[in-house]
Amino acid sequence: DHTADVQIHSWANSLEGAFCDAARGMMNYMYNVDAVEENPALIEHFRVEYAREYQARFYSLGSRSLEHLLYAFLEEILFLFATDPYLALKRVEIQDMMSGPSCFQLSATCFGEEYSRPKHGSKTEIKSVTYSNMIIKQKSDSHVWDIYAIVDI
Protein backbone atom coordinates (compact mmCIF):
# COMPACT_ATOMS: atom_id res chain seq x y z
CA ASP A 1 0.00 0.00 0.00
CA HIS A 2 1.67 3.18 -1.19
CA THR A 3 0.20 6.40 0.12
CA ALA A 4 2.51 9.24 -0.81
CA ASP A 5 5.94 10.68 -1.29
CA VAL A 6 7.30 14.01 -0.14
CA GLN A 7 10.05 15.97 -1.86
CA ILE A 8 12.63 17.70 0.30
CA HIS A 9 14.41 20.66 -1.29
CA SER A 10 17.46 22.15 0.36
CA TRP A 11 20.04 24.68 -0.76
CA ALA A 12 23.15 26.24 0.72
CA ASN A 13 26.41 27.91 -0.25
CA SER A 14 28.23 24.61 0.24
CA LEU A 15 27.50 20.97 -0.52
CA GLU A 16 27.93 20.14 3.17
CA GLY A 17 25.39 22.81 4.10
CA ALA A 18 22.89 21.52 1.55
CA PHE A 19 23.27 17.96 2.95
CA CYS A 20 22.68 19.24 6.50
CA ASP A 21 19.66 21.28 5.43
CA ALA A 22 18.19 18.24 3.66
CA ALA A 23 18.53 16.28 6.90
CA ARG A 24 16.88 19.10 8.86
CA GLY A 25 14.02 19.25 6.34
CA MET A 26 13.46 15.52 6.68
CA MET A 27 13.54 15.68 10.48
CA ASN A 28 11.15 18.64 10.59
CA TYR A 29 8.66 16.64 8.57
CA MET A 30 8.58 14.02 11.36
CA TYR A 31 8.61 16.25 14.47
CA ASN A 32 9.04 19.85 15.60
CA VAL A 33 12.79 20.42 15.25
CA ASP A 34 12.58 23.81 16.96
CA ALA A 35 11.44 22.09 20.19
CA VAL A 36 14.58 19.93 20.35
CA GLU A 37 17.36 20.87 22.76
CA GLU A 38 20.94 19.77 22.27
CA ASN A 39 21.91 17.24 24.93
CA PRO A 40 25.72 16.86 24.94
CA ALA A 41 25.42 13.36 26.41
CA LEU A 42 23.56 12.14 23.33
CA ILE A 43 25.88 13.43 20.63
CA GLU A 44 26.15 10.77 17.95
CA HIS A 45 29.23 10.65 15.75
CA PHE A 46 28.95 8.71 12.58
CA ARG A 47 30.89 8.17 9.42
CA VAL A 48 29.36 7.34 6.08
CA GLU A 49 31.87 6.11 3.52
CA TYR A 50 31.55 5.44 -0.15
CA ALA A 51 34.32 3.42 -1.68
CA ARG A 52 34.73 0.90 -4.48
CA GLU A 53 33.58 -1.97 -2.29
CA TYR A 54 30.65 -2.33 0.05
CA GLN A 55 31.87 -2.36 3.63
CA ALA A 56 29.46 -3.66 6.28
CA ARG A 57 30.74 -1.85 9.37
CA PHE A 58 28.93 0.23 11.96
CA TYR A 59 27.91 3.47 10.21
CA SER A 60 29.87 2.48 7.13
CA LEU A 61 28.36 2.00 3.71
CA GLY A 62 29.82 1.69 0.26
CA SER A 63 28.99 3.10 -3.15
CA ARG A 64 30.33 5.20 -6.01
CA SER A 65 28.18 8.31 -6.32
CA LEU A 66 27.26 11.49 -4.54
CA GLU A 67 23.60 10.45 -4.76
CA HIS A 68 24.39 7.27 -2.82
CA LEU A 69 26.19 9.38 -0.22
CA LEU A 70 23.10 11.56 0.25
CA TYR A 71 20.86 8.49 0.39
CA ALA A 72 23.00 6.80 3.06
CA PHE A 73 23.38 10.05 5.01
CA LEU A 74 19.60 10.59 5.18
CA GLU A 75 19.00 6.89 5.95
CA GLU A 76 21.42 7.12 8.91
CA ILE A 77 19.51 10.14 10.23
CA LEU A 78 16.24 8.23 9.84
CA PHE A 79 17.80 5.21 11.58
CA LEU A 80 18.85 7.31 14.59
CA PHE A 81 15.28 8.54 14.98
CA ALA A 82 13.71 5.11 14.50
CA THR A 83 15.83 3.21 17.03
CA ASP A 84 16.23 3.34 20.77
CA PRO A 85 16.65 5.92 22.29
CA TYR A 86 14.71 7.51 19.40
CA LEU A 87 17.08 10.40 18.92
CA ALA A 88 15.36 13.63 17.89
CA LEU A 89 17.96 15.66 16.06
CA LYS A 90 18.11 19.42 16.04
CA ARG A 91 21.00 19.79 13.67
CA VAL A 92 23.77 17.93 11.90
CA GLU A 93 27.27 19.25 11.26
CA ILE A 94 29.51 17.75 8.62
CA GLN A 95 33.15 18.03 9.68
CA ASP A 96 34.69 16.31 6.69
CA MET A 97 33.44 15.57 3.19
CA MET A 98 35.71 14.08 0.57
CA SER A 99 35.10 12.92 -2.97
CA GLY A 100 37.08 11.32 -5.72
CA PRO A 101 36.34 9.61 -9.01
CA SER A 102 34.85 6.58 -7.26
CA CYS A 103 35.03 7.40 -3.56
CA PHE A 104 32.70 9.59 -1.52
CA GLN A 105 32.71 9.90 2.25
CA LEU A 106 31.71 12.21 5.06
CA SER A 107 32.04 12.52 8.81
CA ALA A 108 29.28 14.21 10.74
CA THR A 109 28.08 14.95 14.25
CA CYS A 110 24.40 14.88 15.18
CA PHE A 111 23.03 17.12 17.93
CA GLY A 112 19.74 16.45 19.71
CA GLU A 113 18.01 14.69 22.55
CA GLU A 114 15.80 11.70 23.21
CA TYR A 115 12.48 12.00 21.39
CA SER A 116 9.41 12.82 23.49
CA ARG A 117 6.02 12.99 21.81
CA PRO A 118 4.60 15.57 24.28
CA LYS A 119 7.62 17.83 23.80
CA HIS A 120 8.49 17.36 20.10
CA GLY A 121 5.09 16.53 18.70
CA SER A 122 4.36 13.97 16.06
CA LYS A 123 3.94 14.84 12.42
CA THR A 124 4.28 12.31 9.59
CA GLU A 125 6.24 9.07 9.70
CA ILE A 126 8.88 8.74 7.01
CA LYS A 127 9.30 5.11 6.02
CA SER A 128 12.38 5.47 3.84
CA VAL A 129 14.52 7.65 1.63
CA THR A 130 14.32 6.96 -2.12
CA TYR A 131 16.53 7.50 -5.14
CA SER A 132 13.53 8.64 -7.18
CA ASN A 133 14.18 11.99 -8.89
CA MET A 134 17.13 12.68 -6.58
CA ILE A 135 19.09 15.71 -7.78
CA ILE A 136 22.30 17.20 -6.40
CA LYS A 137 23.56 20.12 -8.42
CA GLN A 138 25.49 23.33 -8.12
CA LYS A 139 23.90 26.31 -9.81
CA SER A 140 26.08 27.38 -12.71
CA ASP A 141 25.83 31.09 -11.94
CA SER A 142 26.62 30.89 -8.20
CA HIS A 143 28.12 28.81 -5.40
CA VAL A 144 24.69 27.60 -4.30
CA TRP A 145 24.06 23.84 -4.16
CA ASP A 146 20.53 22.50 -4.64
CA ILE A 147 19.36 19.13 -3.38
CA TYR A 148 16.06 17.45 -4.20
CA ALA A 149 15.29 14.19 -2.40
CA ILE A 150 12.07 12.22 -2.17
CA VAL A 151 11.08 10.31 0.94
CA ASP A 152 8.38 7.68 1.23
CA ILE A 153 5.71 8.39 3.84
Side-chain angles (χ1 to χ4, degrees), residues 11 21 28-29 36 44 56 112 116 129 142 145 148:
W11 62 93
D21 287 350
N28 202 46
Y29 202 79
V36 177
E44 289 283 336
S116 165
V129 179
S142 71
W145 284 86
Y148 295 88

PDB file of all heavy atoms in Angstrom, residues 11 21 28-29 36 44 56 112 116 129 142 145 148:
ATOM      1  N   TRP A  11      19.017  23.945  -0.030  1.00  0.00           N
ATOM      2  CA  TRP A  11      20.042  24.683  -0.761  1.00  0.00           C
ATOM      3  C   TRP A  11      20.929  25.403   0.237  1.00  0.00           C
ATOM      4  O   TRP A  11      20.493  25.758   1.327  1.00  0.00           O
ATOM      5  CB  TRP A  11      19.424  25.656  -1.769  1.00  0.00           C
ATOM      6  CG  TRP A  11      18.573  26.713  -1.132  1.00  0.00           C
ATOM      7  CD1 TRP A  11      18.957  27.970  -0.737  1.00  0.00           C
ATOM      8  CD2 TRP A  11      17.194  26.603  -0.784  1.00  0.00           C
ATOM      9  NE1 TRP A  11      17.899  28.639  -0.176  1.00  0.00           N
ATOM     10  CE2 TRP A  11      16.792  27.824  -0.199  1.00  0.00           C
ATOM     11  CE3 TRP A  11      16.237  25.596  -0.912  1.00  0.00           C
ATOM     12  CZ2 TRP A  11      15.502  28.064   0.257  1.00  0.00           C
ATOM     13  CZ3 TRP A  11      14.952  25.842  -0.450  1.00  0.00           C
ATOM     14  CH2 TRP A  11      14.603  27.055   0.107  1.00  0.00           C
ATOM     15  N   ASP A  21      21.001  20.714   5.544  1.00  0.00           N
ATOM     16  CA  ASP A  21      19.661  21.282   5.434  1.00  0.00           C
ATOM     17  C   ASP A  21      18.655  20.253   4.943  1.00  0.00           C
ATOM     18  O   ASP A  21      17.489  20.271   5.344  1.00  0.00           O
ATOM     19  CB  ASP A  21      19.669  22.504   4.520  1.00  0.00           C
ATOM     20  CG  ASP A  21      20.332  23.719   5.171  1.00  0.00           C
ATOM     21  OD1 ASP A  21      20.613  23.665   6.379  1.00  0.00           O
ATOM     22  OD2 ASP A  21      20.564  24.718   4.459  1.00  0.00           O
ATOM     23  N   ASN A  28      12.263  17.744  10.270  1.00  0.00           N
ATOM     24  CA  ASN A  28      11.155  18.643  10.592  1.00  0.00           C
ATOM     25  C   ASN A  28       9.829  18.127  10.041  1.00  0.00           C
ATOM     26  O   ASN A  28       8.772  18.524  10.512  1.00  0.00           O
ATOM     27  CB  ASN A  28      11.444  20.049  10.075  1.00  0.00           C
ATOM     28  CG  ASN A  28      10.641  21.087  10.817  1.00  0.00           C
ATOM     29  OD1 ASN A  28      10.575  21.059  12.048  1.00  0.00           O
ATOM     30  ND2 ASN A  28      10.019  21.988  10.089  1.00  0.00           N
ATOM     31  N   TYR A  29       9.877  17.241   9.076  1.00  0.00           N
ATOM     32  CA  TYR A  29       8.657  16.636   8.571  1.00  0.00           C
ATOM     33  C   TYR A  29       8.104  15.604   9.557  1.00  0.00           C
ATOM     34  O   TYR A  29       6.911  15.328   9.580  1.00  0.00           O
ATOM     35  CB  TYR A  29       8.909  15.988   7.203  1.00  0.00           C
ATOM     36  CG  TYR A  29       7.649  15.817   6.413  1.00  0.00           C
ATOM     37  CD1 TYR A  29       7.085  16.893   5.735  1.00  0.00           C
ATOM     38  CD2 TYR A  29       6.991  14.603   6.370  1.00  0.00           C
ATOM     39  CE1 TYR A  29       5.904  16.752   5.034  1.00  0.00           C
ATOM     40  CE2 TYR A  29       5.813  14.453   5.662  1.00  0.00           C
ATOM     41  CZ  TYR A  29       5.277  15.534   5.005  1.00  0.00           C
ATOM     42  OH  TYR A  29       4.103  15.392   4.312  1.00  0.00           O
ATOM     43  N   VAL A  36      13.489  20.809  19.915  1.00  0.00           N
ATOM     44  CA  VAL A  36      14.584  19.933  20.351  1.00  0.00           C
ATOM     45  C   VAL A  36      15.698  20.766  20.988  1.00  0.00           C
ATOM     46  O   VAL A  36      16.077  21.813  20.483  1.00  0.00           O
ATOM     47  CB  VAL A  36      15.155  19.125  19.163  1.00  0.00           C
ATOM     48  CG1 VAL A  36      16.332  18.266  19.612  1.00  0.00           C
ATOM     49  CG2 VAL A  36      14.071  18.277  18.529  1.00  0.00           C
ATOM     50  N   GLU A  44      25.846  11.972  18.716  1.00  0.00           N
ATOM     51  CA  GLU A  44      26.154  10.766  17.949  1.00  0.00           C
ATOM     52  C   GLU A  44      27.130  11.132  16.843  1.00  0.00           C
ATOM     53  O   GLU A  44      26.843  11.991  16.016  1.00  0.00           O
ATOM     54  CB  GLU A  44      24.883  10.200  17.303  1.00  0.00           C
ATOM     55  CG  GLU A  44      23.920   9.582  18.267  1.00  0.00           C
ATOM     56  CD  GLU A  44      24.357   8.213  18.708  1.00  0.00           C
ATOM     57  OE1 GLU A  44      25.111   7.556  17.980  1.00  0.00           O
ATOM     58  OE2 GLU A  44      23.938   7.808  19.804  1.00  0.00           O
ATOM     59  N   ALA A  56      30.504  -3.520   5.269  1.00  0.00           N
ATOM     60  CA  ALA A  56      29.459  -3.659   6.279  1.00  0.00           C
ATOM     61  C   ALA A  56      30.050  -3.453   7.661  1.00  0.00           C
ATOM     62  O   ALA A  56      30.357  -4.393   8.376  1.00  0.00           O
ATOM     63  CB  ALA A  56      28.793  -5.020   6.163  1.00  0.00           C
ATOM     64  N   GLY A 112      21.151  16.564  19.381  1.00  0.00           N
ATOM     65  CA  GLY A 112      19.738  16.452  19.709  1.00  0.00           C
ATOM     66  C   GLY A 112      19.533  15.871  21.083  1.00  0.00           C
ATOM     67  O   GLY A 112      20.393  15.961  21.951  1.00  0.00           O
ATOM     68  N   SER A 116      10.548  12.859  22.590  1.00  0.00           N
ATOM     69  CA  SER A 116       9.412  12.816  23.493  1.00  0.00           C
ATOM     70  C   SER A 116       8.209  13.378  22.745  1.00  0.00           C
ATOM     71  O   SER A 116       8.211  14.540  22.337  1.00  0.00           O
ATOM     72  CB  SER A 116       9.697  13.667  24.741  1.00  0.00           C
ATOM     73  OG  SER A 116       8.501  13.918  25.448  1.00  0.00           O
ATOM     74  N   VAL A 129      13.995   6.714   2.624  1.00  0.00           N
ATOM     75  CA  VAL A 129      14.517   7.648   1.627  1.00  0.00           C
ATOM     76  C   VAL A 129      14.491   6.902   0.298  1.00  0.00           C
ATOM     77  O   VAL A 129      14.628   5.683   0.271  1.00  0.00           O
ATOM     78  CB  VAL A 129      15.965   8.066   1.984  1.00  0.00           C
ATOM     79  CG1 VAL A 129      16.541   9.014   0.952  1.00  0.00           C
ATOM     80  CG2 VAL A 129      16.009   8.675   3.381  1.00  0.00           C
ATOM     81  N   SER A 142      26.320  30.536  -9.593  1.00  0.00           N
ATOM     82  CA  SER A 142      26.618  30.885  -8.202  1.00  0.00           C
ATOM     83  C   SER A 142      27.299  29.712  -7.500  1.00  0.00           C
ATOM     84  O   SER A 142      27.561  28.686  -8.095  1.00  0.00           O
ATOM     85  CB  SER A 142      25.333  31.258  -7.467  1.00  0.00           C
ATOM     86  OG  SER A 142      24.532  30.113  -7.265  1.00  0.00           O
ATOM     87  N   TRP A 145      24.363  25.246  -3.862  1.00  0.00           N
ATOM     88  CA  TRP A 145      24.059  23.844  -4.157  1.00  0.00           C
ATOM     89  C   TRP A 145      22.592  23.594  -3.876  1.00  0.00           C
ATOM     90  O   TRP A 145      22.056  24.022  -2.858  1.00  0.00           O
ATOM     91  CB  TRP A 145      24.904  22.920  -3.277  1.00  0.00           C
ATOM     92  CG  TRP A 145      26.315  22.800  -3.716  1.00  0.00           C
ATOM     93  CD1 TRP A 145      27.352  23.628  -3.378  1.00  0.00           C
ATOM     94  CD2 TRP A 145      26.854  21.804  -4.576  1.00  0.00           C
ATOM     95  NE1 TRP A 145      28.502  23.191  -3.979  1.00  0.00           N
ATOM     96  CE2 TRP A 145      28.228  22.069  -4.720  1.00  0.00           C
ATOM     97  CE3 TRP A 145      26.316  20.704  -5.231  1.00  0.00           C
ATOM     98  CZ2 TRP A 145      29.069  21.288  -5.489  1.00  0.00           C
ATOM     99  CZ3 TRP A 145      27.151  19.911  -6.009  1.00  0.00           C
ATOM    100  CH2 TRP A 145      28.512  20.202  -6.132  1.00  0.00           C
ATOM    101  N   TYR A 148      17.448  17.908  -4.180  1.00  0.00           N
ATOM    102  CA  TYR A 148      16.063  17.451  -4.204  1.00  0.00           C
ATOM    103  C   TYR A 148      16.091  15.963  -3.858  1.00  0.00           C
ATOM    104  O   TYR A 148      16.791  15.197  -4.510  1.00  0.00           O
ATOM    105  CB  TYR A 148      15.436  17.632  -5.581  1.00  0.00           C
ATOM    106  CG  TYR A 148      15.315  19.080  -6.003  1.00  0.00           C
ATOM    107  CD1 TYR A 148      16.362  19.714  -6.676  1.00  0.00           C
ATOM    108  CD2 TYR A 148      14.165  19.805  -5.738  1.00  0.00           C
ATOM    109  CE1 TYR A 148      16.254  21.032  -7.065  1.00  0.00           C
ATOM    110  CE2 TYR A 148      14.053  21.138  -6.132  1.00  0.00           C
ATOM    111  CZ  TYR A 148      15.099  21.748  -6.786  1.00  0.00           C
ATOM    112  OH  TYR A 148      15.000  23.052  -7.179  1.00  0.00           O
TER     113      TYR A 148
END
